[in-house]
């Protein structure tokens, strides 16, 4: 993508006109068509290269001697489908935050295995989420922190919001003024679960864990389920302590 295009896009994003353009019916339809094509391609990549990307991710964590586990929709697929969910467009794994230096060690190990880093989300000077790409597969790494309860863990998810600001740079776009959702999950330890013939770590209390994320009916397929439609979301009050880095690849 050209630098000029990025600068123009960044400019309009930071103007009030961008909000108007986003609500234009024709542009909304065009944008949705474009997004649908992207999501279809991402789903196809998950089913073609998802297992390979997880195997390489497991090797990376083993190399840096850190635990990880299948998370979110990838965990749901492993439990409910014994594979990947048909409409899932990315791979999710969780791990404990043990410092930015360890996160950089993971990045080095992942890149050595062919991954490209596309995004990272920072809060209070710590990496809390990042995305890698492997053969078209988007793999999200969520960093978890201890909760107040010893059997609870916390991660953070960025929310774009209407007040975000974009700053274009040579190698990346910096996004600030993000909203943040705090997500708390029950966690008692790890066990192994088979996914497409391979063993991967999962939360040992995966039933309770998935109920916490997807509700008591998580074993029933629902392709229209939307994360943003959940009740009792814990959206944090805005503070100028977050930034996302979108790398140009």
């Amino acid at each position: 993508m050209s630098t000029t295009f990025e600068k123009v896009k960044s400019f309009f994003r930071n103007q009030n006109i961008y909000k108007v353009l986003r609500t234009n019916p024709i542009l909304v339809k065009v944008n949705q068509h474009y997004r649908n094509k992207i999501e279809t391609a991402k789903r196809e990549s998950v089913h073609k290269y998802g297992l390979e990307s997880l195997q390489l991710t497991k090797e990376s964590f083993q190399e840096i001697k850190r635990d990880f586990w299948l998370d979110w929709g990838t965990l749901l697929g492993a439990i409910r489908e014994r594979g990947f969910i048909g409409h899932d467009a990315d791979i999710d794994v969780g791990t404990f935050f043990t410092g930015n230096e360890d996160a950089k060690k993971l990045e080095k190990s992942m890149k050595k295995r062919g991954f490209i880093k596309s995004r990272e989300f920072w809060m209070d000077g710590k990496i809390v989420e990042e995305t890698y790409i492997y053969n078209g597969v988007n793999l999200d790494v969520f960093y978890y922190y201890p909760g107040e309860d010893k059997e609870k863990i916390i991660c953070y998810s960025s929310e774009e919001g209407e007040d975000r600001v974009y700053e274009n740079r040579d190698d990346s776009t910096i996004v600030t003024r993000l909203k943040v959702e705090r997500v708390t999950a029950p966690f008692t330890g790890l066990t192994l679960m088979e996914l497409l013939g391979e063993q991967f770590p999962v939360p040992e209390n995966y039933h309770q864990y998935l109920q916490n994320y997807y509700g008591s009916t998580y074993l029933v397929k629902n392709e229209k389920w939307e994360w943003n439609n959940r009740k009792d979301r814990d959206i944090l009050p805005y503070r100028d302590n977050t930034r996302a880095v979108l790398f140009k690849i």
Side-chain angles (χ1 to χ4, degrees):
M1 186 175 295
S2 70
T3 301
T4 300
F5 179 78
E6 280 295 329
K7 288 181 178 178
V8 171
K9 186 167 67 172
S10 180
F11 171 80
F12 278 111
R13 277 172 166 170
N14 292 331
Q15 308 303 313
N16 289 332
I17 190 174
Y18 184 67
K19 297 178 182 179
V20 176
L21 291 174
R22 288 184 64 192
T23 59
N24 181 284
I26 296 176
L27 293 179
V28 167
K29 187 174 182 178
V30 171
N31 185 53
Q32 188 59 52
H33 175 72
Y34 174 71
R35 288 178 177 271
N36 288 343
K37 287 183 65 176
I38 291 177
E39 289 299 299
T40 298
K42 288 167 65 176
R43 286 194 292 269
E44 291 174 353
S45 294
V46 165
H47 288 274
K48 188 173 183 179
Y49 297 108
L51 179 60
E52 183 179 344
S53 70
L54 276 176
Q55 290 169 326
L56 294 172
T57 299
K58 181 166 68 172
E59 290 179 10
S60 295
F61 276 98
Q62 288 173 338
E63 182 178 33
I64 66 171
K65 297 179 173 57
R66 295 295 175 188
D67 289 329
F68 84 103
W69 58 91
L70 304 186
D71 208 359
W72 299 100
T74 306
L75 174 63
L76 178 61
I79 301 302
R80 192 179 70 192
E81 318 285 345
R82 293 295 187 264
F84 298 115
I85 297 174
H87 57 277
D88 213 354
D90 57 20
I91 299 291
D92 302 308
V93 302
T95 187
F96 291 112
F97 180 80
T98 54
N100 291 331
E101 289 186 5
D102 282 340
K104 290 301 180 184
K105 289 179 183 177
L106 175 63
E107 178 180 343
K108 182 179 179 180
S109 185
M110 296 282 278
K111 286 182 174 178
K112 185 169 68 175
R113 289 169 170 80
F115 287 88
I116 300 171
K117 192 171 188 178
S118 65
R119 182 182 69 107
E120 59 187 23
F121 170 46
W122 292 73
M123 188 174 75
D124 293 328
K126 301 174 182 178
I127 296 179
V128 294
E129 181 188 345
E130 54 191 2
T131 301
Y132 293 91
I133 298 177
Y134 179 82
N135 279 343
V137 176
N138 283 255
L139 188 142
D140 295 325
V141 180
F142 292 89
Y143 288 92
Y144 283 80
Y145 297 77
E148 294 182 3
D149 185 324
K150 67 178 182 179
E151 292 190 350
K152 299 281 188 180
I153 55 176
I154 297 171
C155 74
Y156 299 90
S157 177
S158 63
E159 298 283 323
E160 285 193 344
E162 293 297 324
D163 298 318
R164 63 196 181 280
V165 175
Y166 294 83
E167 176 189 347
N168 186 62
R169 297 183 179 179
D170 290 341
D171 61 347
S172 63
T173 298
I174 308 299
V175 190
T176 54
R177 300 187 66 82
L178 294 162
K179 293 193 300 183
V180 177
E181 179 174 3
R182 177 172 53 200
V183 184
T184 303
F187 186 86
T188 59
L190 295 173
T191 189
L192 291 176
M193 177 72 63
E194 184 175 304
L195 173 65
L196 299 175
E198 296 287 336
Q199 295 285 318
F200 294 100
V202 300
E204 64 180 6
N205 61 323
Y206 59 81
H207 177 65
Q208 185 184 14
Y209 193 96
L210 287 170
Q211 276 191 322
N212 179 75
Y213 282 165
Y214 298 103
S216 59
T217 60
Y218 74 86
L219 288 174
V220 179
K221 293 182 181 181
N222 181 6
E223 294 188 8
K224 295 182 179 181
W225 187 91
E226 291 287 343
W227 172 254
N228 292 339
N229 292 336
R230 292 165 21 259
K231 298 180 180 178
D232 303 322
R233 298 181 66 200
D234 187 9
I235 305 296
L236 301 182
Y238 169 75
R239 292 190 296 127
D240 191 16
N241 65 336
T242 61
R243 64 184 171 95
V245 183
L246 312 178
F247 297 103
K248 296 175 182 178
I249 55 177

